[in-house]
Amino acid sequence: LLKSLWVLRPHIRSCDVIVATTPHLWIGLVGALSSRLYRKPMVLDVRDLWPDVMIELDIIREKSLLFRVLKKVERFIYRSAQRITYNSPSFADHIISEGGKPTACITNGIDDEYFQVLQALEPNPTHRNPYIVTYAGNIGMAQDLEPLVEVAASFEGRLNFRLIGDGSDRKRIQRLINRKK
């Protein structure tokens, strides 16, 4: 934390706005502290609800001292931000409950409408092979890629799905892919 603040010091003086992103709370904390130290506005980009997701993943207990400390850090970060963007509409209520001011929902990923368009695709007219949809990134529990495998199976060869990456859930997802053929 201190090293990050030290390394950023010469750069922050010349910037107009600090942008910090989660889920890593320490990045948000560095942004919040820098915002306050250098009196620069901060935009916080919330990609996941840490530390709450740690409870869902059974990494930490809600009544633990560590969780309570991390919740205080989360509130400090939210309250330090002048603007907050988030990637899921369901995050807004949580951000407000922790003292933040949600500004804009900027989703990532693919909307359901996109899959409806893909379902209507005819075979690729310029190639003998089906279209390819690629996911590149972490293959962990938090990414929940099992639904993607289910969707891929429903396209029956009209689309090929390619997963590129590694992570704690890779072997389980690979077994599921093999089972679904």
Side-chain angles (χ1 to χ4, degrees):
L1 181 67
L2 293 175
K3 183 177 180 182
S4 296
L5 290 170
W6 179 258
V7 170
L8 288 174
R9 198 184 76 211
H11 304 287
I12 288 180
R13 291 173 192 232
S14 63
C15 79
D16 295 318
V17 176
I18 296 167
V19 178
T21 189
T22 68
H24 202 298
L25 281 179
W26 302 133
I27 302 298
L29 183 57
V30 168
L33 291 173
S34 298
S35 173
R36 290 187 180 217
L37 285 170
Y38 296 100
R39 296 189 175 129
K40 304 279 182 167
M42 179 180 75
V43 174
L44 179 66
D45 179 46
V46 178
R47 300 278 105 198
D48 217 336
L49 299 178
W50 289 85
D52 293 65
V53 75
M54 296 170 73
I55 292 170
E56 292 174 28
L57 295 174
D58 205 25
I59 296 171
I60 195 172
R61 300 281 177 237
E62 191 170 358
K63 295 186 188 246
S64 71
L65 176 62
L66 178 59
F67 181 75
R68 291 194 312 261
V69 168
L70 292 175
K71 287 300 284 184
K72 289 184 186 299
V73 170
E74 176 191 35
R75 283 184 202 106
F76 173 76
I77 294 167
Y78 287 163
R79 291 176 180 164
S80 297
Q82 281 66 45
R83 302 278 189 274
I84 300 177
T85 62
Y86 49 98
N87 68 349
S88 173
S90 64
F91 287 6
D93 289 340
H94 176 83
I95 293 167
I96 291 168
S97 75
E98 297 299 332
K101 302 168 219 80
T103 305
C105 181
I106 303 170
T107 61
N108 59 4
I110 300 173
D111 294 329
D112 290 342
E113 292 172 18
Y114 181 73
F115 282 115
Q116 291 170 2
V117 169
L118 291 177
Q119 285 282 15
L121 284 177
E122 296 296 323
N124 188 336
T126 59
H127 298 89
R128 285 191 266 153
N129 299 324
Y131 291 97
I132 297 171
V133 177
T134 302
Y135 168 87
N138 188 32
I139 303 175
M141 292 185 306
Q143 285 67 46
D144 192 21
L145 294 178
E146 189 169 330
L148 185 62
V149 176
E150 301 294 333
V151 167
S154 74
F155 279 96
E156 301 171 350
R158 288 178 287 148
L159 294 173
N160 281 345
F161 285 74
R162 196 179 285 165
L163 301 180
I164 301 171
D166 202 355
S168 63
D169 209 24
R170 184 175 188 268
K171 288 180 182 175
R172 186 183 73 80
I173 294 296
Q174 185 65 54
R175 285 191 304 270
L176 180 63
I177 289 169
N178 292 342
R179 200 168 54 243
K180 296 280 184 181
K181 297 181 181 171

